[in-house]
Amino acid sequence: MENRIALLGIIVENKEVTDRLNDILHEYADYVVGRMGIPYRERGISIISVVLDAPESAVSALSGKLGMLEGVSVKAVYSKATGTGEAQ
């Protein structure tokens, strides 16, 4: 299965699930290209973006696991490019 570049947008409204969220992300560490977290203190939430280079099935599984956490919203956006990063 070919890898795709994907961006996960994650909004955490329940800080009690942070440890579990990080554990789940760690399970997919081999696919993670980069991660950025922004605490939005005025609203009491955290916003996390995670860039992945992974099969769609792995992105979907990760998104689903994170989305099942209470107070966590997740959306995935995929690049149209596929393959190994070579010029097409």
Side-chain angles (χ1 to χ4, degrees), residues 1-2 6 10 14 20 27 31 33-34 38 40 45 54-55 58 61 63 65 69-70 72 74-76 79-80 86 88:
M1 183 175 287
E2 288 189 43
I10 306 166
N14 177 5
R20 181 64 185 129
E27 292 174 24
Y31 299 120
V33 175
I38 303 169
Y40 192 176
I45 63 172
S63 181
K65 288 179 181 182
L69 297 174
E70 185 178 337
V72 175
V74 183
K75 293 292 179 188
S79 166
K80 293 181 182 178
E86 298 174 6
Q88 296 183 14

Side-chain angles (χ1 to χ4, degrees), residues 3-7 33 51-54 59 77-83:
N3 282 9
R4 301 273 307 269
I5 302 299
L7 171 67
V33 175
V51 177
L52 303 163
D53 186 348
V59 176
V77 178
Y78 292 90
S79 166
K80 293 181 182 178
T82 60

Side-chain angles (χ1 to χ4, degrees), residues 12 15 36-48:
V12 181
K15 294 189 192 297
M36 177 178 63
I38 303 169
Y40 192 176
R41 290 179 185 90
E42 292 82 10
R43 296 278 190 149
I45 63 172
S46 294
I47 302 157
I48 304 168

